[in-house]
Amino acid sequence: MADEPKSGDKTRDPRSGGPQSALGEAAPEPAAAPKPKPKPKPKAPPEAPKGPADQPPADDQERPAYFGGFEKALPGAMEQVSYWVGDWTIIVPAAALLEVATYLKGSDDGSFDYCSDITATDWPPREKRFDVVYCLYSTRRRHRLRLKVKLGEGESIPSVTSVWPAANWLEREVWDMFGVNFSGHPDLRRILMPDDWQGHPQRKDYPLEGPGEFLLESPMEWLRLRNLPDEAEIE
Amino acid sequence: MATEASPIFDTDELVINMGPQHPSTHGVLRIVLKLDGERVIDADVVIGYIHRGIEKLSENRDWTQIILLTDRMDYVAAATNNLGYCETVEKLMEIEVPRRARYIRTVLAELQRIASHCLWLGTHAMDIGAMTVFLYAFRERELILDLFEDYCGARLTYNSMRIGGLPLDIPTGWDNKVRAFCDLMESKIPEYEELLTNNRIWLERTRGVGVISGEDAVGLGLCGPPLRGSGVYRDVRKDEPYAAYDEFEFDVPLGTNGDTYDRYLIRLEEFKQSIRIIRQGLDGMPEGPVMGKVPRLIKPKAGETYHAIESPKGELGYFIVSDGRATNPYRFRVRPPSFCNLQGLRPLIVGHLVADVVTLIGTIDVVLGEVDR
């Protein structure tokens, strides 16, 4: 790639791919000057969503049998309960996660011995921006439950690999994609992205187009440029 | 054997790479093996070579455009991927799917299961050295691809389902072709069995290889045939029925020893059960529309859901979050069965010979397109 234009050249920036930049820098300057003013107010995007709906269950909705035992065994662990299109979700504090997981796996009427999935959702405007979601299943009782933990940037969450060995790779993927730190994980490495990757691609502030060639050299710089307001970018 | 290290043969451990370009790794899987002679003492499974960011892409596409992306995950079983995604969105939006559409979906999903198991059988047997089975199995798989081509025009990436139903009704005469195929397939299964089931080499290579107990398999999150091979009764079609499976009769084969041979027997039995389901589906096919009432603009209310189906590889789950105002999902997550099964590879191969590693990659039936997404 010796003959490529110097990196940082705006034409190579995949985001500035508008017609003016594609034709080179000289043309748009004079054209832009006589243009009437009203263009500014850069398309104020709608405010980013602040979090999932987490609808509470209807009053007449019958609760699963194991809820009673759960509340008795771990009072206060059930921060919030949500029910939507047939799925139950319990929101628990990060500090209590390991206790909750151990209880749910061991309890007779819950018996959640199978960890289907672990994933996360990113809600940047929120103070605790991540929801870490655990989809549990019981091969004996044949029912499902979702656990949800809210987590801020830089906080860590106890790993549940000791309870469900299946969590090993699933937590590695959440770390790789979201940068959620799992404390006590036996082998917390990137799993899908290369080991030397910078950034965590599934975060909402990570660009969809990913790092182009310029970005590969200096992704953090690229991200800074990209987040500048439009005028500064033309500069 | 002398306790003193031999001056000629050093006894160091050897670390070698298997893959990513290795014919038996079914794609771009890399396994770092630590060997003591021929025996594996530790292994590290490295994935991610064809990570295409399908989850991230999907979060920036229309709800309907995503169906096409799901084709590209498990590319040998595209129809079940479509089915899982469409069902999840239907669950989120509480859309009623017409009964005829649910029947056709079930038939397509079971045809897909046979095709995927054919591919598995052929490649798995070839890894172990039985070349003939590969040719036989691909011969039958070809017929299924023809059936799919008749139905939707594509042979591999079908894009064959829509949110709320199906894009097309089945063409005239298609059901008779499928019936003819079922009869043919039934007559071919004994051929596979004749070649393998009592074959002494096959028995030596598969019996007692890669044994995993039911409890360990559940803990490791294995799903599909590897889980049932260890005797755990777990089939999403029975436990959490979707499409039209609650209206059909079929059995869930279970293994007893949890070894490679049992997993082989289970998949062979699943051929027969799939044929049974397809026949019931064709015989009881109701009349009616194939597309339900779907809003023109698909835009689920804010909420989230997880829905799983039984793909040929195991439990294929989708976790989808809608923020209620965009025409794309806020979060789109796939729980790929191959990913979770592949996690069980390391405990399976440690202690076995290098030649068995090839067997064990085959037995868990991975498709790397789905592992890496």
Side-chain angles (χ1 to χ4, degrees):
Chain A
M1 314 297 150
D3 58 336
E4 74 180 28
K6 61 184 191 312
S7 51
D9 181 346
K10 281 288 187 275
T11 55
R12 299 200 61 85
D13 184 334
R15 206 182 87 96
S16 62
Q20 76 273 44
S21 63
L23 293 175
E25 293 84 323
E29 272 315 341
K35 231 212 257 165
K37 274 272 95 162
K39 113 182 189 168
K41 288 295 136 278
K43 50 342 172 127
E47 212 184 319
K50 290 212 173 55
D54 285 334
Q55 294 87 347
D59 293 335
D60 55 347
Q61 182 66 46
E62 199 193 332
R63 297 192 163 209
Y66 55 86
F67 271 31
F70 180 90
E71 276 176 319
K72 209 177 288 170
L74 298 164
M78 203 183 267
E79 268 183 354
Q80 193 184 336
V81 178
S82 155
Y83 179 82
W84 186 246
V85 293
D87 298 358
W88 284 98
T89 308
I90 301 180
I91 300 177
V92 297
L97 175 68
L98 215 50
E99 278 172 61
V100 171
T102 318
Y103 172 77
L104 284 176
K105 190 188 175 190
S107 74
D108 182 57
D109 47 1
S111 166
F112 289 97
D113 52 356
Y114 189 87
C115 180
S116 268
D117 194 16
I118 298 176
T119 184
T121 315
D122 181 20
W123 307 90
R126 217 169 61 180
E127 192 193 342
K128 290 193 173 242
R129 66 184 281 186
F130 298 114
D131 276 343
V132 184
V133 182
Y134 299 77
C135 299
L136 309 179
Y137 180 75
S138 165
T139 53
R140 201 155 61 83
R141 299 271 174 193
R142 310 201 184 285
H143 52 201
R144 278 193 185 282
L145 174 70
R146 269 206 306 278
L147 284 185
K148 201 188 267 185
V149 179
K150 294 184 175 171
L151 206 68
E153 172 89 67
E155 290 175 22
S156 65
I157 180 171
S159 162
V160 293
T161 33
S162 55
V163 185
W164 299 290
N168 188 333
W169 277 25
L170 294 165
E171 285 179 350
R172 274 177 72 186
E173 188 180 336
V174 174
W175 154 250
D176 189 2
M177 291 296 154
F178 289 92
V180 171
N181 191 27
F182 291 89
S183 58
H185 190 285
D187 181 27
L188 200 60
R189 286 177 292 151
R190 283 187 182 275
I191 186 164
L192 292 178
M193 306 303 285
D195 288 341
D196 55 354
W197 196 263
Q198 299 190 32
H200 298 281
Q202 282 282 358
R203 289 188 175 197
K204 285 288 168 188
D205 47 14
Y206 191 93
L208 170 66
E209 57 268 43
E213 283 172 39
F214 164 53
L215 313 180
L216 274 178
E217 290 161 22
S218 158
M220 287 323 191
E221 174 68 359
W222 184 86
L223 206 59
R224 193 186 62 80
L225 280 179
R226 184 179 186 278
N227 290 337
L228 290 178
D230 276 1
E231 303 81 54
E233 204 177 348
I234 294 167
E235 174 238 341
Chain B
M1 202 177 269
T3 45
E4 197 72 9
S6 156
I8 304 170
F9 303 109
D10 68 28
T11 53
D12 286 349
E13 289 157 359
L14 183 67
V15 177
I16 61 163
N17 260 320
M18 189 163 174
Q21 280 86 25
H22 187 283
S24 77
T25 55
H26 298 240
V28 279
L29 172 65
R30 175 175 155 226
I31 306 175
V32 185
L33 295 171
K34 195 193 239 185
L35 301 178
D36 177 14
E38 274 277 303
R39 204 159 284 281
V40 179
I41 52 177
D42 201 359
D44 184 22
V45 180
V46 184
I47 59 171
Y49 288 92
I50 46 169
H51 173 63
R52 293 151 292 172
I54 284 185
E55 288 181 12
K56 182 89 175 172
L57 273 176
S58 300
E59 284 162 20
N60 292 277
R61 292 283 182 282
D62 264 343
W63 291 91
T64 43
Q65 288 172 325
I66 295 170
I67 302 169
L68 186 133
L69 286 173
T70 63
D71 280 339
R72 272 82 182 160
M73 294 190 314
D74 183 354
Y75 39 74
V76 299
T80 46
N81 294 351
N82 296 161
L83 175 61
Y85 170 70
C86 292
E87 291 233 330
T88 313
V89 181
E90 285 152 11
K91 182 178 169 192
L92 196 56
M93 298 180 73
E94 297 176 304
I95 294 173
E96 181 91 12
V97 182
R99 191 147 167 263
R100 184 178 173 84
R102 290 192 283 125
Y103 267 64
I104 299 174
R105 282 177 171 194
T106 312
V107 169
L108 290 175
E110 290 306 313
L111 278 175
Q112 188 69 86
R113 189 180 316 276
I114 298 178
S116 171
H117 282 1
C118 275
L119 188 130
W120 163 81
L121 179 68
T123 51
H124 181 42
M126 196 167 68
D127 287 346
I128 301 182
M131 181 75 191
T132 320
V133 186
F134 177 79
L135 300 173
Y136 281 23
F138 267 61
R139 184 184 61 191
E140 270 75 69
R141 178 171 177 264
E142 193 65 21
L143 298 174
I144 300 179
L145 298 190
D146 288 345
L147 288 173
F148 269 105
E149 193 177 8
D150 278 356
Y151 171 67
C152 65
R155 292 171 65 81
L156 205 61
T157 49
Y158 306 125
N159 197 9
S160 61
M161 294 180 197
R162 295 288 181 276
I163 294 163
L166 295 163
L168 307 157
D169 206 337
I170 50 176
T172 323
W174 191 76
D175 50 344
N176 287 331
K177 284 188 196 165
V178 177
R179 278 201 184 87
F181 167 77
C182 287
D183 296 342
L184 182 89
M185 187 72 202
E186 213 165 34
S187 69
K188 298 293 182 193
I189 297 169
E191 286 187 13
Y192 308 149
E193 286 182 328
E194 203 176 339
L195 280 168
L196 295 175
T197 307
N198 293 316
N199 182 329
R200 217 170 124 194
I201 304 172
W202 182 259
L203 289 173
E204 290 282 322
R205 290 296 305 274
T206 57
R207 269 216 186 137
V209 174
V211 179
I212 186 160
S213 72
E215 204 181 322
D216 288 351
V218 169
L220 275 169
L222 300 193
C223 50
L227 183 58
R228 294 193 283 273
S230 302
V232 181
Y233 185 93
R234 166 82 178 125
D235 188 322
V236 187
R237 292 176 294 174
K238 284 279 193 196
D239 300 342
E240 304 158 274
Y242 56 94
Y245 283 106
D246 49 349
E247 301 179 31
F248 300 143
E249 272 182 26
F250 61 98
D251 299 325
V252 178
L254 293 183
T256 46
N257 305 323
D259 60 3
T260 305
Y261 187 66
D262 274 12
R263 291 186 278 266
Y264 154 76
L265 290 180
I266 281 178
R267 291 199 177 94
L268 272 199
E269 183 58 30
E270 285 190 2
F271 276 136
K272 298 174 192 163
Q273 297 302 328
S274 293
I275 292 173
R276 206 170 139 197
I277 298 172
I278 293 172
R279 286 206 175 118
Q280 291 175 54
L282 293 175
D283 291 343
M285 184 83 69
E287 292 299 318
V290 293
M291 195 70 191
K293 274 197 171 16
V294 181
R296 184 158 294 184
L297 186 65
I298 293 185
K299 204 169 168 185
K301 276 186 239 160
E304 56 189 35
T305 192
Y306 177 87
H307 179 71
I309 67 159
E310 186 77 17
S311 93
K313 315 281 187 294
E315 177 188 332
L316 170 66
Y318 288 88
F319 174 71
I320 295 184
V321 181
S322 164
D323 63 0
R325 50 191 191 181
T327 54
N328 54 327
Y330 188 78
R331 175 81 177 101
F332 175 88
R333 153 81 184 164
V334 188
R335 187 263 189 203
S338 296
F339 182 89
C340 295
N341 284 342
L342 194 58
Q343 182 171 204
L345 184 62
R346 182 174 169 272
L348 285 185
I349 58 181
V350 169
H352 281 292
L353 302 178
V354 179
D356 292 331
V357 175
V358 173
T359 313
L360 291 168
I361 297 170
T363 190
I364 57 172
D365 192 11
V366 287
V367 167
L368 270 295
E370 183 178 66
V371 175
D372 296 344
R373 280 153 288 141

